[in-house]
Amino acid sequence: MKSKSMITVVIMMLCITINAQEQSNKTLVAYFSATGTTEKAAKLIVEVTGGTLYEIQPEKEYVTADLDWHDKSSRSSVE
């Protein structure tokens, strides 16, 4: 399931990036990744497009409890 989700994210990001490239010669791939999954997808897109990679950093680092989406009061659920 996780790999299906990652493939879907990569395809969506590629479509957005390809559309942006058609409109401009500059491509910026900005991403946020708390667990590393989105980072992998962003790096793949940069390889394909030759774009510039930019990581969005949170002000406060995420800890494991923050990412527990089963907990409705966790940071990932609230934000």
Side-chain angles (χ1 to χ4, degrees):
M1 181 70 173
K2 196 171 191 177
S3 63
K4 267 188 175 180
S5 297
M6 184 164 171
I7 290 170
T8 302
V9 169
V10 170
I11 291 170
M12 288 173 27
M13 292 175 80
L14 281 172
C15 290
I16 292 167
T17 305
I18 289 168
N19 186 37
Q21 273 192 318
E22 290 174 358
Q23 297 173 10
S24 170
N25 291 332
K26 299 177 185 177
T27 301
L28 173 65
V29 180
Y31 73 95
F32 168 73
S33 184
T35 62
T37 302
T38 304
E39 179 180 21
K40 290 175 189 173
K43 287 180 177 180
L44 286 172
I45 292 169
V46 166
E47 284 181 30
V48 171
T49 64
T52 302
L53 189 65
Y54 177 79
E55 180 180 7
I56 300 167
Q57 294 281 336
E59 282 186 30
K60 179 182 171 192
E61 288 295 317
Y62 282 78
V63 296
T64 303
D66 293 334
L67 302 174
D68 182 7
W69 57 272
H70 293 288
D71 178 1
K72 293 190 187 299
S73 64
S74 73
R75 188 172 168 197
S76 62
S77 298
V78 174
E79 291 179 352

